[in-house]
Amino acid sequence: DPHLNFMRETMGIMQHHDAVTGTEKQKVALDYAKRMSVALRACSTNIRSVLNQLSISSDRVSPQPTKFEFKTCTLLNISSCATSELNDRFALTLYNPLAHSTNEYVRVPVTDYKYVVIDPTGKSLPTQVVPVPKAVTNLQHRNSSAQYELIFLASNLPAVGYKTYYIEKSDSIPVRGKPSASPKKK
Amino acid sequence: SSYTVIGNNNIKLTFDTNGFLAYVTADGMTRTISQEFLYYIAATGNNEEFLNRSSGAYIFRPDKNQIRFATDEVSLEVYKGQLVQEVHQQFNSWISQVVRVYKQSNHAEFEWLVGPIPIKDNIGKEVISRFTSDIKSEGIFYTDSNGREMLKRRRNHRETWNVKIHESVAGNYYPVTTKIALEDDTARMAILTDRAQGGSSLEDGVLELMVHRRLLHDDAFGVGEALNETEYGEGLIARGKHHLFMGKSLQRPEVSLKAIERLVQLETLLPSWKFFSNVSYSSDQWL
């Protein structure tokens, strides 16, 4: 509750007419940004706890199920995310807040161009990799090694529900058959 | 040396040899639609006089409606794949954009990156993205009311009193929370935003949205400082998205462009939440 209350209080502050329209003083704008950041970080604890409860399958045999981190990446707007950049394997959980199922093209900042994406049924999805625009990689204060964005279609995300995708650098996957052709250079 | 085309079965975008958007093909027709970045020169007033305010945090007020093009030539990089086709545009050293069409979508996405706006010339600038079409909108356009109903706007006109507009740009600007649109008997063009912006249609068939501004004077309405965010050194950089829809304006029972716009509006403003987890398992173990 203290975590949620901090977010509630912050959202209350954000209803002030200066916050809505951007007519606050610069130092106040920075304080608003800080409060939002702290509130989001506090609530990520709740999110982690809830998703870890939801993601335990009912037929699980292990008495001590593994807990996942479920980190938010607040710098995705500049194509930067520590988890996807620093790990060869990671999972991406998408929670759909809408009251109807949706399809969404997901873009994940990555450091390489060879990845596989596996959906919750075990199916390998078609992917595409495009370079992060030069104007973004050249941003002065962007501290990121992501040179590419991995794109895949997350289809039929359930209404107010979630799906988790497994993403892995394809170099680290044991060869099961004929390797796929490397992307054509344009 | 030749036109560049990206798109899918639903929508195609053609870029001319200068790198600007030139045509959009969708819904069985091709229309002339261009897109460019421009900026207004911000008014510098004398705040002692009520009718001579500076452009500032509260008011948008270009100096004698002066507008400048960001560039007359755009460098292009094209990436075409099985899920998305996109064009990376560089307008100048501080404005760039990615225009993309996903395989299954029926609209185009414009992801703009603007800033830091240069101010070494001591001129405040208010940057817009402008879409120019051949649609004969006759002074009528529509902006949303906080994401809900669309309100009809008529250029140089107010619904409940006779008005004489003295400043034709500022006097025709309206708040856009999620959508701005115009149409004629045959075609319709709509732009969805990812945040609240100012917008207008200052000529028939033309829509513009303000994406970023950097000002050097206070407008004396209360904030007491210029809208010049230099806390991080050079000035802020803004990145955001516009979604362009074009199609027939006729309402048809089988396809409604407005219904599609509404759905994309929801999905744009309420996208999925993304949570990343480190995983040590192999894919089989994870499953």
Side-chain angles (χ1 to χ4, degrees), chain A residues 134-135, chain B residues 4 15-20 71-79 86-93 95-99:
Chain A
K134 285 189 195 86
Chain B
T4 302
F15 295 82
D16 65 20
T17 50
N18 288 326
F20 290 98
T71 186
D72 54 9
E73 199 167 350
V74 181
S75 68
L76 280 193
E77 281 177 21
V78 187
Y79 299 91
E86 59 183 48
V87 161
H88 294 199
Q89 296 175 304
Q90 187 75 43
F91 287 79
N92 59 26
S93 61
I95 300 179
S96 63
Q97 183 172 250
V98 178
V99 185

Side-chain angles (χ1 to χ4, degrees), chain B residues 127-236:
Chain B
V127 184
I128 61 159
S129 173
R130 189 169 75 181
F131 293 80
T132 304
S133 74
D134 55 359
I135 296 170
K136 295 172 183 63
S137 53
E138 296 179 343
I140 309 285
F141 60 107
Y142 300 84
T143 61
D144 69 317
S145 174
N146 208 21
R148 294 177 175 86
E149 67 175 318
M150 295 300 288
L151 299 179
K152 187 177 179 179
R153 313 292 193 183
R154 185 191 295 271
R155 209 161 48 241
N156 300 321
H157 178 81
R158 299 290 184 270
E159 282 300 308
T160 51
W161 77 96
N162 291 326
V163 69
K164 183 173 181 343
I165 301 287
H166 292 278
E167 298 189 26
S168 60
V169 175
N172 283 301
Y173 252 68
Y174 288 93
V176 176
T177 321
T178 61
K179 182 157 88 170
I180 185 167
L182 54 73
E183 61 187 14
D184 62 14
D185 291 341
T186 55
R188 169 181 174 82
M189 175 169 75
I191 302 165
L192 302 187
T193 62
D194 62 349
R195 70 197 67 185
Q197 292 174 332
S200 186
S201 171
L202 298 176
E203 288 173 49
D204 289 354
V206 180
L207 291 175
E208 67 179 61
L209 288 156
M210 186 170 293
V211 293
H212 196 9
R213 51 206 301 254
R214 190 173 185 189
L215 306 169
L216 304 175
H217 299 276
D218 174 39
D219 58 13
F221 274 100
V223 68
E225 54 189 44
L227 191 67
N228 178 14
E229 294 151 300
T230 55
E231 294 289 328
Y232 300 101
E234 283 189 57
L236 288 194

